[in-house]
Amino acid sequence: EVQLVESGGGVVQPGGSLRLSCVASGFTFEDYDMGWFRQAPGKERGGVCDITRPYGDAYYIDAVKGRFTISIDNAKNTVYLQMNKLKPEETAVYYCAAAPAGSENTGWDLYGYFGQGTQVNVSS
């Protein structure tokens, strides 16, 4: 059974930083692309960034480029999201996601496994 467990959310002031973690289990971690999604109040969940196998190429939406960094520790089956210079509009529930690697298709719709989410509040 695929399990993704996020942690690291909390309250941070605008301009601050947080690092989210997601521990994966129930599947061969190295065979899956990993991503982060977020859902703000009243909005649909959307992709933020992901990292693909086998080379670890990272993709970011324009809104977070230069401020967010996704990384993977294969030894710990863990994916991280370092978020810097956070903005109030980035208040959301952040979800870790997984998708089997190697698909010829691309897009956020490939991600079918999600964790329970961790709340991030950016507020002064």
Side-chain angles (χ1 to χ4, degrees):
E1 178 188 3
V2 171
Q3 285 196 324
L4 302 169
V5 180
E6 303 96 334
S7 62
V11 179
V12 62
Q13 291 188 341
S17 299
L18 278 177
R19 189 176 83 151
L20 307 182
S21 301
C22 170
V23 179
S25 62
F27 60 98
T28 303
F29 189 60
E30 291 83 351
D31 291 342
Y32 278 69
D33 298 336
M34 300 299 297
W36 287 95
F37 287 63
R38 65 187 178 189
Q39 185 170 20
K43 296 188 177 181
E44 293 187 357
R45 184 167 60 188
V48 175
C49 58
D50 71 353
I51 190 164
T52 59
R53 310 296 192 164
Y55 303 114
D57 294 329
Y59 170 82
Y60 302 89
I61 59 172
D62 286 345
V64 306
K65 281 181 182 176
R67 298 186 298 116
F68 288 16
T69 304
I70 185 172
S71 60
I72 279 185
D73 186 335
N74 287 318
K76 296 182 178 179
N77 278 16
T78 300
V79 58
Y80 301 98
L81 180 63
Q82 177 66 45
M83 304 185 294
N84 298 328
K85 299 180 181 179
L86 282 159
K87 305 175 182 180
E89 57 265 36
E90 293 177 316
T91 292
V93 178
Y94 283 72
Y95 298 89
C96 175
S103 172
E104 293 183 352
N105 300 318
T106 60
W108 301 118
D109 290 347
L110 295 176
Y111 286 89
Y113 299 104
F114 292 88
Q116 83 289 349
T118 185
Q119 179 71 48
V120 172
N121 287 329
V122 185
S123 173
S124 55

